[in-house]
Amino acid sequence: MTLSDTEAQARTLGGYDDASRLRQVHDRDWVLDQVTGEPGVLVDLGSGIGQLLEAALRRHPSLRLAVGLERSEHRLAEAGERLRPHGGRVVLHQADLTGPAPLPYRADVITMTSVLHWLYPVEHRVLAWAREHLAPGGTFLLTTYHPARDRHGFGGEDDIVRDALDALGIPSESVPGLFEDRDVLPIATRTRPTDELSALLGEFFTIEATFEREAVVTVEGAAQYEHFHAATFGDYYASVLEPAVRAEFFQTVGRVAFERQEHSGRVSAMPVRLWKLTART
């Protein structure tokens, strides 16, 4: 079977540079605005295609080392090309953040933007790693999204996917059972509530400050959202379906998202929180 362009994109998480403009670019600037002084080492957890590292290097000439940890080899390759002009100031590691290996760096700043939910329910592993890899006086800057969720633990992107599956002939009320059967957790379930997350973070860090804003997603058309979904979520949701209908699924996700925007003026909106943390000793 020949893959559609979007299916191929989902497999490699390609096209994130374009997709990130809908959401992540705002997080990147918001986070880097909290970096003060003259940091020497910055580590980005889930560094993707290197956009945050690139922006940090431009903002902070004091950085002698910008380190990225990323699982996807495709994103690492793209990051390597993007960051090549910075030479030896950049080090990229392929790493699984559910159990990252120790590294010989102590960071003045560690960042992680919109990644923590993918590590559920073992977030404590990367939090312990971050605490151990912060230099004295260092700061950990973390962003988390918090969609409202229903009794099934669905919210945010889960709702768009559920509507798309319904349009494909899988009744909405059957979708939670389908997810459970295929061992796929709703993203809103993976995202811990702020009070629960605060308690978890407090085991490793002192919460110096938190900031909140509303993340709003709008698109120019159905195809744009189709590719945003593929670049951001890969085939995570599509895996609940047989391969023969996955291309149609991605198209339907895009159509459903754009219909939402036509009805309400936006595809989605949800709170995002920025946590400013220092290590507990």
Side-chain angles (χ1 to χ4, degrees):
M1 185 183 71
T2 302
L3 295 179
S4 70
D5 289 345
T6 310
E7 288 177 283
Q9 177 190 1
R11 286 195 175 185
T12 63
L13 295 171
Y16 194 71
D17 194 10
D18 291 331
S20 68
R21 293 188 180 97
L22 297 181
R23 183 180 289 166
Q24 294 304 314
V25 66
H26 306 294
D27 279 4
R28 182 170 69 244
D29 295 338
W30 193 35
V31 166
L32 290 177
D33 285 345
Q34 294 299 318
V35 178
T36 58
E38 297 185 347
V41 178
L42 181 145
V43 175
D44 188 27
L45 300 174
S47 52
I49 61 175
Q51 294 160 304
L52 186 144
L53 293 175
E54 181 181 44
L57 286 162
R58 288 175 176 171
R59 283 190 180 212
H60 297 283
S62 62
L63 283 174
R64 63 181 184 275
L65 196 60
V67 182
L69 275 66
E70 170 59 42
R71 182 173 184 172
S72 166
E73 62 182 49
H74 300 281
R75 287 184 172 177
L76 278 172
E78 189 171 346
E81 288 301 314
R82 175 186 295 273
L83 297 168
R84 189 180 303 278
H86 298 282
R89 295 174 69 203
V90 175
V91 178
L92 301 175
H93 296 275
Q94 187 168 20
D96 180 351
L97 295 182
T98 61
L103 293 177
Y105 312 117
R106 290 296 177 268
D108 302 298
V109 181
I110 296 178
T111 57
M112 185 161 66
T113 58
S114 193
V115 172
L116 194 65
H117 56 279
W118 289 114
L119 309 181
Y120 178 91
V122 293
E123 305 99 319
H124 60 279
R125 296 176 185 171
V126 78
L127 297 178
W129 188 99
R131 180 183 62 186
E132 294 304 314
H133 286 77
L134 273 178
T139 301
F140 181 26
L141 298 168
L142 168 71
T143 66
T144 55
Y145 282 75
H146 298 279
R149 58 186 183 183
D150 64 17
R151 62 189 179 89
H152 299 293
F154 279 61
E157 193 71 14
D158 308 319
D159 292 334
I160 294 171
V161 168
R162 180 163 47 187
D163 287 350
L165 293 173
D166 185 73
L168 291 173
I170 300 173
S172 295
E173 61 271 18
S174 300
V175 173
L178 175 64
F179 274 42
E180 185 174 357
D181 289 344
R182 300 301 170 89
D183 199 28
V184 172
L185 282 174
I187 296 297
T189 296
R190 287 180 167 275
T191 304
R192 296 181 187 269
T194 54
D195 57 346
E196 185 178 328
L197 185 53
S198 180
L200 177 61
L201 292 172
E203 296 177 21
F204 303 91
F205 301 98
T206 297
I207 300 171
E208 300 290 345
T210 61
F211 312 90
E212 289 194 1
R213 66 177 182 85
E214 185 178 51
V216 177
V217 173
T218 60
V219 291
E220 296 174 358
Q224 186 182 27
Y225 198 86
E226 176 185 347
H227 292 291
F228 166 77
H229 179 94
T232 305
F233 300 98
D235 55 9
Y236 182 76
Y237 290 107
S239 66
V240 305
L241 296 169
E242 296 303 318
V245 297
R246 290 178 185 173
E248 186 180 3
F249 164 75
F250 285 114
Q251 293 172 350
T252 306
V253 165
R255 177 172 58 80
V256 165
F258 193 55
E259 287 172 353
R260 283 175 167 243
Q261 180 171 305
E262 289 182 312
H263 180 263
S264 63
R266 58 193 184 184
V267 176
S268 63
M270 69 184 72
V272 56
R273 176 171 287 203
L274 169 57
W275 309 77
K276 188 172 186 178
L277 310 166
T278 55
R280 283 190 179 276
T281 57

